[in-house]
Amino acid sequence: MLSRKSPVPNSRPGTLRVAIASLAAIFGLGATIVGVPLFNDAREGRSRHALISSLPDYSSAPDGGKTILEGRIAAGTPLLQGGFVAWLREGYGRNAGSSKGWNVIGGETQPMTIDTASGPVRILNAGFALDNAVLPWEHETREESAPAFTAGSVRISGLIPGGTVMVLGTRTNDGLNAESITGMDRKTYLEKLHQASDRIWQGSIGMLVLGPIVLFFAGRAIVRICKAP
C-alpha cells in the first residue's frame, strides 16, 4: 500500500506580500521626499507673486525704491552670443537635489535700454539674473546638441531686441539697477506664476499627505507578515 506524502509546507508564505508591501513603502518614501522640495518651490512662487504684485511701476517709484519696469528691449541693443542681447546656456542632467532638470552652465548679460510708454529707460548694470526659476522667461530657445548616451541635451535661451520684458530693480536718477529680468509683461508673468505655483502646491500637498500614509500602512503590513508563523 502506497503511503501519501503530506504536502511540504511553504517555508516562505509571505514573500510576495512582503515584496508588495516593500514596493508600497518605497513609493510612500519617494512621494514624501519629492513632496518636500515641491512644497518649498510652491512657497517660493507664492512669495515671488506677492512681491511682484506689490511693487510700484517705474514711473511712480521713488528714487532708491524697488520697482517694476515694463517695456521692450531697444532695437539697437548690441547682440551677444547666438544673436541674443542676454542669454544662458543650460545642460540637462542631475542637479544638486539629485533630480533631473536643466542646469545653467554659462550665460551673459549687459546694460541695455528699455523702451517704455513714457520713454526709454537705461538698465545700468550687467549683473542681473535671468528669471527662469519657476517659469520660462526666454524669447527664443535653440538646441545646441542632442542628448547622447553619456550626456544630456544642451540648449541656449535668450532675449532678443524688440522683445517684451519685465525688469525688477531699484530706481535711480540715471535709470534702473536691475536685479532680474524676464521675457514677458507683469500681467502675464503673474498669471503664469499663479498657475504654476498652484499646480506645484497641489502636487506637493498630495504627495506629503499620501506619502506618509502609504509608508505607515506598508510598514505595518511588513511587520505583521514577518511576525506571522
Side-chain angles (χ1 to χ4, degrees), residues 84-217:
F84 297 120
V85 299
W87 62 274
L88 58 79
R89 180 176 286 112
E90 298 169 294
Y92 191 83
R94 294 199 176 277
N95 54 34
S98 296
S99 60
K100 285 190 175 181
W102 291 100
N103 302 297
V104 176
I105 56 178
E108 187 177 8
T109 60
Q110 64 175 325
M112 64 182 72
T113 298
I114 306 299
D115 292 329
T116 73
S118 57
V121 177
R122 184 70 177 165
I123 294 180
L124 305 172
N125 60 309
F128 51 82
L130 298 175
D131 183 1
N132 69 333
V134 181
L135 47 92
W137 59 268
E138 66 273 359
H139 287 150
E140 291 187 14
T141 299
R142 305 167 189 163
E143 186 177 66
E144 288 197 329
S145 69
F149 181 74
T150 57
S153 179
V154 176
R155 70 182 184 184
I156 181 172
S157 306
L159 302 173
I160 58 176
T164 299
V165 291
M166 180 194 77
V167 188
L168 165 64
T170 302
R171 177 167 182 165
T172 72
N173 290 327
D174 301 321
L176 185 72
N177 284 320
E179 295 180 13
S180 65
I181 184 170
T182 188
M184 61 189 75
D185 59 36
R186 173 152 45 176
K187 180 181 178 182
T188 303
Y189 180 91
L190 291 175
E191 288 174 352
K192 289 182 175 293
L193 184 59
H194 178 73
Q195 293 169 1
S197 297
D198 273 1
R199 287 195 300 267
I200 296 172
W201 181 268
Q202 293 168 6
S204 67
I205 294 300
M207 290 184 179
L208 291 176
V209 171
L210 180 62
I213 292 175
V214 172
L215 184 60
F216 172 76
F217 284 104

